[in-house]
Amino acid sequence: MPRFLTAGESHGKCLITIIEGFPAGLRLDLQFINQELKRRQQGYGRGERMKIEHDEVEVLSGVRLGRTTGAPITFLIENKDFPSWEEIMSLEERKVEPVIVPRPGHADLGGYLKYGLEDLRDVIERASARETAARVAVGAVAKLLLREFNIDIFSFTIAIGKTRVKWEGDWESIKEKAELSPLRCPEVSGEEKMKEEIDEAREKGDSLGGIFQVVAIGVPPGLGSYVQWDRRLDARLAYAIMSIPAVKGVEIGEGFTSASLPGSAVQDEILYDRKEGFFRLTNRAGGIEGGVSNGEAIIIRGAVKPVPTLSKPLRSVHLRTKQSLPAHKERADVCVVPSAGVIAEAMTAWVIASAFLEKFGVDSLEDIKESYTTYLERLKRM
Amino acid sequence: MPRFLTAGESHGKCLITIIEGFPAGLRLDLQFINQELKRRQQGYGRGERMKIEHDEVEVLSGVRLGRTTGAPITFLIENKDFPSWEEIMSLEERKVEPVIVPRPGHADLGGYLKYGLEDLRDVIERASARETAARVAVGAVAKLLLREFNIDIFSFTIAIGKTRVKWEGDWESIKEKAELSPLRCPEVSGEEKMKEEIDEAREKGDSLGGIFQVVAIGVPPGLGSYVQWDRRLDARLAYAIMSIPAVKGVEIGEGFTSASLPGSAVQDEILYDRKEGFFRLTNRAGGIEGGVSNGEAIIIRGAVKPVPTLSKPLRSVHLRTKQSLPAHKERADVCVVPSAGVIAEAMTAWVIASAFLEKFGVDSLEDIKESYTTYLERLKRM
Amino acid sequence: MPRFLTAGESHGKCLITIIEGFPAGLRLDLQFINQELKRRQQGYGRGERMKIEHDEVEVLSGVRLGRTTGAPITFLIENKDFPSWEEIMSLEERKVEPVIVPRPGHADLGGYLKYGLEDLRDVIERASARETAARVAVGAVAKLLLREFNIDIFSFTIAIGKTRVKWEGDWESIKEKAELSPLRCPEVSGEEKMKEEIDEAREKGDSLGGIFQVVAIGVPPGLGSYVQWDRRLDARLAYAIMSIPAVKGVEIGEGFTSASLPGSAVQDEILYDRKEGFFRLTNRAGGIEGGVSNGEAIIIRGAVKPVPTLSKPLRSVHLRTKQSLPAHKERADVCVVPSAGVIAEAMTAWVIASAFLEKFGVDSLEDIKESYTTYLERLKRM
Amino acid sequence: MPRFLTAGESHGKCLITIIEGFPAGLRLDLQFINQELKRRQQGYGRGERMKIEHDEVEVLSGVRLGRTTGAPITFLIENKDFPSWEEIMSLEERKVEPVIVPRPGHADLGGYLKYGLEDLRDVIERASARETAARVAVGAVAKLLLREFNIDIFSFTIAIGKTRVKWEGDWESIKEKAELSPLRCPEVSGEEKMKEEIDEAREKGDSLGGIFQVVAIGVPPGLGSYVQWDRRLDARLAYAIMSIPAVKGVEIGEGFTSASLPGSAVQDEILYDRKEGFFRLTNRAGGIEGGVSNGEAIIIRGAVKPVPTLSKPLRSVHLRTKQSLPAHKERADVCVVPSAGVIAEAMTAWVIASAFLEKFGVDSLEDIKESYTTYLERLKRM
C-alpha cells in the first residue's frame, strides 16, 4: 500500500518526503506540483515568510524520462531562509540561547515534556505548519494519479472569523471562483467582509480561524469498506484532515447539521437512470455511506482554529524559573484558512488515491486503467 | 503495537474480537466488561432488539487465573436471536430470497457494487452497528488498563434532534448524572425535551440524531506526536470516532466554535504551580495541542446522524428490475445517540491505551507502572 | 491488505483466527480446509495427542451461502481435550500448582522474564505449536484463493535426522508420493531409513529434526518488489517460514549451496518461446530474482530443529529456589518435520495470496480474475 | 514504532533515507556513521566503483546540537558519479537507448513485467545493491542507540566459494580480526585461500558467493514474542536478512545443522548463577528460543549467492526481437560477501533496536534508560 514519510525542520536546510508504493508510468508534471506548492503559500492574511519563499520541489528519485518508475519518489523543498538560521539550527554545538517560554496552543509544552528536551526550538521546528509543504507535494502526485481517472479534488473557504458565506452554482464555477480569490472564497461580498475581519485582527495583534470545504468529484462507488473500522473511507479522511495543524473539527456531508435533522431529511434517496446508473438527487451524506464511497461528490469540511502565535503573546511560564512571562514569539500569519484548504486537498487526494490503488492495483498505470475500466463496466451491468 | 480485529454478522452466530499486544498482568474484570456491553444496549429510543439480547462476553483466550497473560485475548458475544435467522444466514445453500432494494444512508448500495454481491443481506449483516458491541468489549479492556493509571473515560449526550443542553458542575457529577439518565444526558429539563422529540419522531416513523461528548480525565502530557502526521493524537482520535456508524462529524475541544473566535480567545494560557506543575485555567484545546496531549482533560464531540432505517422507508431502486420502490426495512431504533457515546468511549479508550502502551511499554503491567511513575517524576523535575 | 490474527491456548477451549481483507465470492470448501488440518496432524513420529484430536473448523463469520462475503472470516477449532484441562486453564482462581522449571529450547524462560509471569504455563500454552493449526486453516483459505488462479502449493520432506533423500520426477508425481507417505517423503528407501531413525530416537527418549521443501507452482512473474526492502517476496517468505516453531533456517532456491558455487553455475539463463513466453531451463533462483517472482516454481526449504521437549528432560533451574532440576515435561512428539512442511505450505500460501491480492485487487473474486487475465495478456505482448 | 524508507537510484543524484520514530537525546556520531558506510565499501573482490566513491551522509533533518530531537532523521548520500550518468538518468526526455536484454539472476525481467516498463534501466537502478548504502546509514543509527545499552553487533565472513573457515577465540578477538581483514575473515589461512579463489574467479570472468555471520552481544532476554507469528524475533531477523540483495538463505544459531542432530544435542540447558542470573553453557539456539531473545548472543548466518552480473555475460533474450543474446553488462564486483555482512549488521541492528524501543519506549533516551534499568533489576529479582 502507498505510504509516505515527511521530514525536515521549519528552518532547517529543507523539507523532504519519500513516497513509496506509487505505480510506474505516471507522467510527473513538475509544473503542476510547484503550482500546488504556490497555492499553499498564497492567501490574504499570510505573514512575511510567504513572500520570501517560493517553494519548489527538487526530484531526487523515482522519476526518469518524465515518468514514475515504481521506485520511491523523493522530493526536496529547500528552505530559502536557512542561511539566516544556520547558527540556530546547528548540527553541532549550541551557538544561541534556547527557547524557554512555551507558546500556548502549540505542541511546545507537550513536546518538550514528551521528548525530554532542553530547548523548545526542537519542538517548534518540527511541529511547524511548514511541514505541510511536503504534504502538498505528496498530494500533488496523488492528484496527478487521480486525474488520470477523471477524479478532481478542490477546496474553498466557507468561513473566516464570524463571516460565513453561502455559495451558488455548479462545482466547476465554485472551484474557478475560489481559485481567483485571495481567500479562496467563492462568494465576493462575503470575501470582502472576511478581509475586513482579517485587517481588524491584524491591527489588534490577533488571529482568525475559519472553515474550509474540500470536494472530490468523480470518485467511483466502492472505495473504503465497512468490514473493519480502520478501512472506512470517512474515518480515513477524518484521520488525514484532523492531522493538519490547527484543524479542530471535521465533517463529512451535512456533518454536525445532520445531528439536528430528522432521518427523513438526512438520507439521500436512490434513483436509477439507464445512462447514469444509480444516482441521488441530494448528497447530504457527502458521498460516503457506511464507510464506502457511493459515487456522489465527496464533501469534507474542516474547522481551523486561529493561529496560536499572536503578535500580542499570551501568558506562559519560563521553563527553568517557572516565572510567568509572555510566550515566545515566532513569525506568524494572521489567518491560514485558505492554505489549510489546500493542504486538506492534498490529504484528501492521498487518502482517495490510496484507497483507489488498494482496489485497482499498485504497480503499473496501464494495468490500473484496465482494472478500472473493467470495474466501471461491471458496475453498469449490476 | 496493540491491534484488534472484529468479526461477525449482525444475525450470525456471534460477534468475535481478537485483541493482540495487550500486556500481561491486567486483572480482567468480566463484570465490568459486561456492564459496558449493557451500557451500549440501553437508551431511550432503542428498538426491540435491545430488549431481547443482553450481551455478554465469553472469554476464549488470553486470560488465565483472572489476569491477562500477554497472549491474544478473544471475546465471543453470542447473537441470541441467531436461531430465528439460521436459514437466512445459512453457510450453505440459499433458502430465502435475497434482499434486493438498498437502503439509503447505509453501505448497502456501495458495498453491493464494491464486492460484486448478489444479495444486500451480505452488506447489511456486516455494516450493521451491531459490530460495535465487539468494539465496546475491546474498549472495556482498554479502560481496565487505563484505570490502573487513574485515567477515566466517560461520555454524555449534549444534543438530540433540535434540543441541545448546557451542563454544569465538575466532571464527576456530570458523569454520574449521565449514567443515571436513560439518554445519558446530564441535564434534566433538556432530557425531557429530548424524550418528547424522540416520541414524536417515533410516531412519525422518523428517527433522530444528536451529539455526544467524550471526556478522558487523567491523561498525562506527551501522548501522540507532531513528528509525523499519522501519529497525532487528535488525528488518531478523529479516525476512531469517525469510524463509528452514523457519525458524520468530530470535534476536539472547542472544535467548530473555535473557527469563529479570535486567537486570543481560543488558546489556553500556561501557568505553573509547584504542586500541580504546568496547568491551564481554560481547556479550549480539549487537552491536545499540536497533536500531543497536554495533561488537561481530552474532550471530543461526535455528530450522529439520524438512523437511516426508517419505519416509513425512503425511495430506492430494485437492483434487478431497476424499478423505484420503498427501501428494504430492517428492525431499527429511533435514536442511538446514547449508545454512540458509549461506543465512542470505547474507541477513545482504545486510542489512548494504544498511545500509552507505545510510550510506556507493552509487555508487563508491572513494568509499565514503573515506567509511568518514572515519567511522571521526570515531568515534575522539568 | 489481507491480515489475520490467531488466538487461543494449546489446552484452552479452542483456537480462533480472524482473516480480514479477503475478497468476496470465493467458494469456501470446508472439506478442503478440514483435510488440511488433518494433514497437519499426521506423520510418523507424532505423539498421542494427534490421535485424540481431529481438528475441524467451525465457521463463525464471513461466509454465507457457501461463499465469502468480503467480511472477516472467523474459524474456531475446538480443543477436544479441554475438559481435562479446565482446572489448569481456569479463568478464575488458581487450582493447581504453577509450572516452575523452564524447558530449554522453548520460549519458557524468555517469555517468563519478558511478561513478568508467575507460572510458565502461561508461556507454554501460547508458545505451543498447537497455534499453527489456526495458521493451517488460514493457509487453506489462501490456497483456495490461489487455486482459482491455478497456483498450487505443496511440500515434502527431504531430510530427517541424518537421512537426506534425493528425489526424481516431475512436481506432480513428487507431490503425489509425498501425500501418500506418512513422513511426506517422496522417496521410499530414504523414508524407511527415516522411520528407523525415528524409532531409535523414540527409544532413547530423544527427538529428531529435518528439512522440508515447499513448492509453489503457477505463480505469475511480478509478485513482490525490489523497491523497498520489506516488499521483497523472498524476504516476506523468509519472515513467514522462520515464524514456524522449531524452524531455524530458511533457503530460497539453491540457498546455502549457491554460496559455494561460481556465478556462472548459479544464475538461470533467460530463454523465450513464442508459446511459453520467457522461461528458464534451470531454476536455481527458486523462482525469485531481486525480490520479485519470475514465473518459475517458487522453492523454499526450512530447517526444523528436533522437538525440544524430550522424554528424558534436559537440565534446567527451579525458578523460585534456583535449584538445578530436570526441565518440566509436556506431552510431545518425536519428530514434527512432516507437519512443519504442511504449516510452511500454509504460510507460503498466505504470503503469495497477499502479494497476489495487493497486485490484482482485494474486493471481488470476479474483478480479480479479470485483472489477472488482463495482466497475463499484457505479459504476452511484452 | 520505528520505521524507515529508503529512496534513490544507483546512478541518480543520491540515496536518501528517512528514519521515523527514533528517540530524542541520542548523540549522533557522524564519524561513526561514515565509518560504517566505508566498511560497506571495502572488501577484497569489490569492483572499481568502490574506489571512486567514498560515501558520506549529509544530515538533512532530525538532528540539532549534536543530538536527535525525536523528529524524522534524513540522510542523503551523494552519488559521486552522477555527473557522468546525468543523460541516462534524465528527468525529462530520453537521450540514450534503453537497456533491452535482461540480466539473469537480477530483478530485471520480473521488474520489467511487473511494472510494465520500457527500459530495464528503471529496474537496474533501483534493484541495485547500492540501495543498501542507505540501509547501512540507518543501521548505524540503530547501532548508536544500542551502544547506549551495551549491545554490540558485528559480523565476519565464514565462507567464500569453496573455502569455509573455522574460528577460535572470544567474540572480541574474532571481531577485531575480522575488522582487520580485507575479507572480514577472522582466520588467516582460510582468508588466503579465499583470496586465491577470488583471483581465480576474476580471471575467469566469474563471481563468488559465501556465508557471513552476524553476532549481537548484550541483547537482554525478552525481545520479540511468541504470541503472534509476526512478532517473533527470529522471523523478523530472517525477514530483514533475506531482504539483502543476493542473500538466498538465513540461519539462526545452529540452523540447518540442527536439523540433523538429536534433540538432546541441540537444546541449551539452563543454569543459574547468583551473579549472572540464568545462563547457558552452550548457545545452539543462537540466542532466540520460541521467538524470544534469551539473553545469549544472537547468531545469524546468511548465504550470499555469487554476484549475477558477470564479465562473461550469460545468455538472455532481447525484449523486443526476442532474439537470444548475451545479457546486458553492468559494472560489477567479483565477490560482495564482506559487504553483505556489513549490511546484515545494519539490518540486524534495525530489527533489534525496533524490538528494543517497542519494549522500553520510543520517545526520550533518558526515559528508555530508566525503563531498561528497571527491567534488568526486575529480571534479577525473578
Side-chain angles (χ1 to χ4, degrees), chain C residues 319-381:
Chain C
L319 291 175
R320 305 270 186 273
T321 64
K322 309 304 193 231
Q323 204 184 340
S324 188
L325 279 175
H328 170 77
K329 253 183 71 178
E330 197 80 7
R331 197 169 42 172
D333 305 308
V334 175
C335 176
V336 298
V337 179
S339 300
V342 174
I343 301 159
E345 292 174 28
M347 293 307 287
T348 300
W350 175 259
V351 170
I352 293 177
S354 299
F356 194 93
L357 293 173
E358 286 161 25
K359 183 155 182 54
F360 300 109
V362 293
D363 291 338
S364 139
L365 185 62
E366 189 191 335
D367 291 356
I368 298 169
K369 283 185 174 172
E370 293 271 10
S371 293
Y372 189 57
T373 306
T374 306
Y375 179 66
L376 295 185
E377 277 162 13
R378 172 163 78 68
L379 294 198
K380 279 188 194 157
R381 291 194 310 270

Side-chain angles (χ1 to χ4, degrees), chain B residues 88-349:
Chain B
I88 294 172
M89 299 306 293
S90 168
L91 275 184
E92 285 146 32
E93 78 256 50
R94 177 180 296 287
K95 289 165 190 168
V96 293
E97 287 302 299
V99 178
I100 212 70
V101 188
R103 297 163 305 164
H106 281 287
D108 295 13
L109 182 58
Y112 167 82
L113 296 171
K114 176 189 185 76
Y115 289 110
L117 303 170
E118 292 175 0
D119 185 347
L120 293 169
R121 172 61 53 204
D122 290 332
V123 184
I124 292 169
E125 287 296 320
R126 182 64 192 160
S128 161
R130 173 125 189 89
E131 181 265 344
T132 58
R135 297 203 219 174
V136 168
V138 172
V141 179
K143 280 185 171 184
L144 286 172
L145 177 78
L146 294 173
R147 276 184 176 195
E148 299 278 337
F149 302 92
N150 297 314
I151 299 170
D152 188 34
I153 291 167
F154 60 92
S155 74
F156 50 96
T157 301
I158 62 178
I160 282 180
K162 297 195 188 322
T163 311
R164 183 153 187 163
V165 301
K166 296 198 168 168
W167 59 89
E168 294 187 325
D170 56 17
W171 290 132
E172 204 49 50
S173 77
I174 290 164
K175 178 183 168 180
E176 245 174 65
K177 282 179 200 161
E179 290 307 310
L180 292 170
S181 152
L183 284 174
R184 310 192 45 69
C185 175
E187 203 273 317
V188 178
S189 70
E191 189 188 39
E192 281 314 304
K193 278 195 207 155
M194 288 172 175
K195 281 185 184 172
E196 283 165 29
E197 278 205 58
I198 289 172
D199 292 341
E200 215 177 306
R202 183 184 287 113
E203 270 170 50
K204 288 187 190 161
D206 215 324
S207 64
L208 285 180
I211 301 173
F212 59 77
Q213 174 159 326
V214 179
V215 181
I217 306 284
V219 178
L223 299 191
S225 181
Y226 52 84
V227 298
Q228 201 70 211
W229 78 267
D230 53 4
R231 291 174 60 191
R232 290 188 172 247
L233 192 62
D234 42 4
R236 290 170 69 174
L237 286 166
Y239 191 12
I241 300 301
M242 192 69 98
S243 79
I244 299 168
V247 169
K248 299 295 281 188
V250 183
E251 296 183 317
I252 310 278
E254 292 294 306
F256 276 86
T257 302
S258 62
S260 64
L261 297 173
S264 53
V266 165
Q267 319 307 335
D268 307 300
E269 296 191 314
I270 301 173
L271 293 97
Y272 182 83
D273 175 89
R274 203 177 290 178
K275 212 170 124 199
E276 297 288 325
F278 301 100
F279 72 99
R280 319 291 174 106
L281 289 174
T282 56
N283 183 17
R284 293 134 173 180
I288 303 176
E289 290 170 307
V292 183
S293 65
N294 66 8
E296 301 299 311
I298 289 179
I299 291 167
I300 312 150
R301 269 183 302 283
V304 183
K305 74 171 184 180
V307 179
T309 308
L310 306 180
S311 31
K312 287 193 187 161
L314 295 164
R315 198 164 35 146
S316 183
V317 173
H318 189 286
L319 292 175
R320 305 271 186 272
T321 65
K322 312 301 194 231
Q323 201 184 344
S324 189
L325 280 175
H328 169 78
K329 253 183 73 178
E330 197 81 8
R331 199 168 41 173
D333 306 307
V334 175
C335 177
V336 298
V337 179
S339 300
V342 173
I343 301 159
E345 292 174 27
M347 293 307 286
T348 300

Side-chain angles (χ1 to χ4, degrees), chain C residues 71-341:
Chain C
I73 301 162
T74 308
F75 293 135
L76 184 149
I77 303 169
E78 213 188 321
N79 284 332
K80 298 212 172 102
D81 56 354
F82 173 60
S84 49
W85 284 79
E86 205 160 356
E87 285 214 336
I88 293 171
M89 298 305 294
S90 169
L91 274 184
E92 285 147 31
E93 78 257 47
R94 176 180 295 288
K95 290 165 189 168
V96 293
E97 288 302 298
V99 178
I100 211 71
V101 188
R103 297 164 304 164
H106 281 286
D108 294 14
L109 183 59
Y112 167 82
L113 296 171
K114 176 187 184 77
Y115 288 110
L117 302 171
E118 292 175 0
D119 185 347
L120 293 169
R121 172 62 51 206
D122 290 333
V123 185
I124 292 168
E125 287 296 321
R126 182 64 192 160
S128 161
R130 172 124 189 90
E131 181 264 343
T132 58
R135 296 203 220 173
V136 168
V138 172
V141 179
K143 280 184 172 186
L144 285 172
L145 177 77
L146 294 174
R147 276 184 175 195
E148 299 278 338
F149 302 93
N150 298 315
I151 299 171
D152 188 34
I153 291 166
F154 60 92
S155 74
F156 51 96
T157 301
I158 61 177
I160 282 181
K162 294 193 190 324
T163 310
R164 184 151 187 164
V165 301
K166 294 197 169 170
W167 58 90
E168 295 187 324
D170 58 14
W171 290 132
E172 205 49 49
S173 78
I174 290 164
K175 179 183 168 181
E176 247 174 63
K177 283 179 200 164
E179 289 309 309
L180 292 171
S181 152
L183 282 173
R184 308 191 47 68
C185 175
E187 202 274 316
V188 179
S189 70
E191 190 188 38
E192 282 314 306
K193 278 194 207 156
M194 288 171 176
K195 280 185 183 172
E196 283 165 28
E197 278 205 59
I198 290 172
D199 291 341
E200 213 178 308
R202 185 185 285 112
E203 270 171 49
K204 289 186 190 161
D206 215 327
S207 64
L208 287 179
I211 301 173
F212 59 77
Q213 173 159 326
V214 179
V215 180
I217 306 283
V219 178
L223 300 191
S225 181
Y226 51 85
V227 299
Q228 201 70 211
W229 76 269
D230 52 4
R231 291 174 61 191
R232 290 187 173 247
L233 192 62
D234 43 5
R236 290 170 70 174
L237 286 167
Y239 190 13
I241 300 300
M242 191 68 98
S243 81
I244 299 169
V247 170
K248 298 296 280 187
V250 183
E251 295 183 316
I252 309 278
E254 292 294 306
F256 276 87
T257 302
S258 62
S260 63
L261 297 173
S264 53
V266 165
Q267 319 307 335
D268 306 302
E269 295 191 314
I270 302 174
L271 293 97
Y272 182 82
D273 174 89
R274 204 176 288 177
K275 211 170 126 198
E276 297 287 324
F278 300 101
F279 72 99
R280 317 291 173 107
L281 289 175
T282 55
N283 183 17
R284 293 133 172 182
I288 304 176
E289 289 171 306
V292 183
S293 65
N294 65 9
E296 302 299 311
I298 289 179
I299 290 169
I300 312 151
R301 270 182 302 285
V304 182
K305 72 170 184 179
V307 179
T309 308
L310 306 179
S311 29
K312 287 192 187 163
L314 296 164
R315 197 163 39 144
S316 183
V317 172
H318 188 286
L319 291 175
R320 305 270 186 273
T321 64
K322 309 304 193 231
Q323 204 184 340
S324 188
L325 279 175
H328 170 77
K329 253 183 71 178
E330 197 80 7
R331 197 169 42 172
D333 305 308
V334 175
C335 176
V336 298
V337 179
S339 300

